[in-house]
Structure formats: structure tokens, C-alpha cells
Amino acid sequence: MALNPDLVGRQYPPSPVYVVGREKVREFAAAINDTNPLSTDLDAARAAGFADLVAPPTFAFVITHVAMGNAMFDPDLGLDYTRVVHGEQRFEYHRPLVAGDEVTVVAMITSIRAAAGNDMLTLRSDVLDPAGDVIVSTHSVIVARGTGSKEAA
Amino acid sequence: MTAAISFDAVEVGTALPDRDVTITRVDLIRYAGASGDFNVIHWNRRIATAVGLPDVIAHGMYTMAQAGRLVTDWIQDPSALVEFGVRFTRPVPVPDDDAGAIVRYSALVAEKLPDRRVRLDIKAVHADATVLGRASAVVQLA
């Protein structure tokens, strides 16, 4: 089943507030073997001018992938989640996420297209500070394999 | 804080230190817990093979995180990263053994940009195949 193209531009309500936890940053850094002291050593992070531990660059996806679910599971969209793979991921950083940040995520469908028999869904998720300023934007291409047309083989 | 690398010290073609990253099953379990991505194809061979995969596969975001680490270990300041993007072109199967899957990461300066920024092109290769396509980062150098 092809995705509903009318949903391009649909924006979802802000996520509940996510508090970036100091130990979550440490746990994530350890999980990817990131030994940067700014992500593990509070004194080092503060000496470098940060309020707290600095999250590794891809940590933002931990926050945004939950909000992306609002779009992916939108019943109007018609996405078969069992056929989904992550096709592309891009981040635009305005500043790094730091432990103690209280953020919300606003997700939006920016593109729906078919290519080589697959449906391609592009989602933008903005991670916002309490003032509404963007900390980081993530752009994710979600591929639903073999649902776009009869050409799927 | 600023990046540990000066814009004046690099040219197009300057290579970052490359590295091999070994991925074993426990790395995927740990990443699942830390990231909240518990998709079964990353830890259950029975279901992974049932949906046509050769084995349990690494999270794409784990392979991207390793590319990010190559960059942030070079500049040392994660706040100097401006943009970072990849395509997930091929899955990385992770066998249930101690050897794991080895991915070779490398990167070089592809373009010098205004405002002392550079674009890095990143490569990630597993079993002679590219696993991250169009992988690049824009970083603010000192």
C-alpha cells in the first residue's frame, strides 16, 4: 500500500518534556565507546565551559526517535511498520545537548515519495529548548520496502 | 571550547586517523539499552533471519555513532560539529561469536568552507562493502 501523500507537511504536537540525564549521557557514551571526557567527566565538561556533561552527537536520535513514532504510527499514513528500515539520518546542530537540558520534540512529515518500488518517508524532528529555540534538527528517511508499486521485486 | 584542529593546519585530502571497530553481540545489547531501540532484529537471530536478514544486524545508529566518534575524537570538542549525515546502504551482520563484525572507519577533508569550517567525507567498510553512503560531517575548526 502506498503512503498517503496528503500528509506531507503534517506537524505533530510537541512531545512531553524530555530531561537529558547526566547518567544517561554517561551510559550512552559508554555504549558507543566514546571516551571523550566532556561526556564522562563533569569537571572536564565544566572546565570547558559547559553546564554539565555533553551528549555525544547521535544522542539526539534517542530523543527524536520516540517523537517520530507519532508520525510513523499515524493511522492516516498507512505505513506498514514491519517493512520499515532506516534509510538515512542527518543532524543539524545549533548547540550540543547537555545534561540538565529540558527539551521537547516537534516532528513533521517533510516528504513522501516512491523509488524503486519502495516508499520513502522523510521526517524532520526539531529538539527545542524551553524558549522554543532549536537545539538540533534531525532529518530521517524511513524506507518501507516493497510497498510503493508493482515494480517491487 | 574550540576544536583541537586549526583550519590552517588542514588541506583538502588531509586524513583523520582511521580505525577498525569490532562489533559483538554484547555491544548491540548495550546499545539497545542505552538508546531505547529494542527492535528484535538487533538481538534475535530467529526473527532477523525470518525477515530475510543473514543474521542479527547492528543498529544503523550504532554504526553512525562510531563514525561520529571518529570525528569528535579528532576535533575533541563535540560542540564544533555543525552537520552530520549518513545513508545506511548495507546492514552489518553481527555473528554470535567473540570475533564479531569489523567495520573500518576512515575520513578525510573533502572541502574547505567559509568561516573556518570544513566538510569531511567519511567511509565505513565491512567485508569489502560500504555500509554508510554519502557519510559526511561539517565541523567548525579553530
Side-chain angles (χ1 to χ4, degrees):
Chain A
M1 184 176 71
L3 301 180
N4 179 357
D6 295 343
L7 265 62
V8 173
R10 181 173 287 192
Q11 184 173 306
Y12 295 85
S15 69
V17 173
Y18 180 99
V19 182
V20 178
R22 183 185 293 162
E23 301 308 330
K24 192 69 188 175
V25 170
R26 278 206 180 99
E27 179 190 9
F28 187 84
I32 63 168
N33 299 314
D34 191 335
T35 56
N36 192 317
L38 300 179
S39 300
T40 56
D41 180 343
L42 189 57
D43 291 337
R46 287 187 171 154
F50 298 99
D52 211 301
L53 296 184
V54 180
T58 59
F59 182 84
F61 189 77
V62 174
I63 305 172
T64 57
H65 95 270
V66 178
M68 286 165 53
N70 288 335
M72 287 195 285
F73 295 112
D74 186 332
D76 295 340
L77 181 63
L79 183 69
D80 178 359
Y81 190 67
T82 64
R83 308 199 65 82
V84 159
V85 293
H86 196 176
E88 296 180 36
Q89 182 62 41
R90 189 161 58 83
F91 299 90
E92 290 172 36
Y93 302 97
H94 298 271
R95 70 165 177 84
L97 285 159
V98 173
D101 275 335
E102 300 190 4
V103 302
T104 54
V105 181
V106 173
M108 177 180 181
I109 295 176
T110 52
S111 159
I112 292 173
R113 62 195 172 87
N118 298 323
D119 280 324
M120 321 273 279
L121 171 70
T122 306
L123 301 171
R124 170 180 174 158
S125 301
D126 290 337
V127 180
L128 307 172
D129 68 13
D133 291 330
V134 178
I135 299 173
V136 50
S137 291
T138 70
H139 302 264
S140 310
V141 177
I142 304 299
V143 181
R145 290 175 295 159
T147 61
S149 75
K150 286 181 242 171
E151 294 150 29
Chain B
M1 185 163 180
T2 54
I5 306 291
S6 167
F7 181 79
D8 302 321
V10 303
E11 298 301 334
V12 170
T14 297
L16 281 62
D18 58 4
R19 66 168 62 129
D20 287 343
V21 174
T22 300
I23 309 174
T24 61
R25 289 286 181 89
V26 71
D27 295 316
L28 303 186
I29 303 293
R30 189 180 292 123
Y31 185 77
S35 69
D37 182 346
F38 291 98
N39 189 328
V40 288
I41 62 172
H42 303 305
W43 52 269
N44 185 313
R45 177 182 164 84
R46 173 176 56 85
I47 292 176
T49 55
V51 298
L53 295 166
D55 202 333
V56 162
I57 62 166
H59 303 75
M61 288 306 300
Y62 183 84
T63 62
M64 183 177 190
Q66 299 306 320
R69 198 159 66 80
L70 190 80
V71 174
T72 53
D73 283 354
W74 186 60
I75 54 177
Q76 295 182 31
D77 174 13
S79 69
L81 192 57
V82 179
E83 283 181 39
F84 180 29
V86 305
R87 279 187 173 187
F88 302 105
T89 51
R90 207 176 291 255
V92 178
V94 177
D96 181 17
D97 61 24
D98 297 330
I102 296 170
V103 181
R104 163 147 293 228
Y105 288 89
S106 60
L108 49 77
V109 175
E111 188 179 5
K112 296 188 85 170
L113 303 170
D115 302 325
R116 302 181 77 79
R117 291 177 174 185
V118 296
R119 182 169 58 80
L120 305 173
D121 280 355
I122 305 164
K123 281 188 178 165
V125 175
H126 168 68
D128 297 324
T130 295
V131 295
L132 298 178
R134 283 203 205 169
S136 71
V138 174
V139 294
Q140 176 71 58
L141 297 183

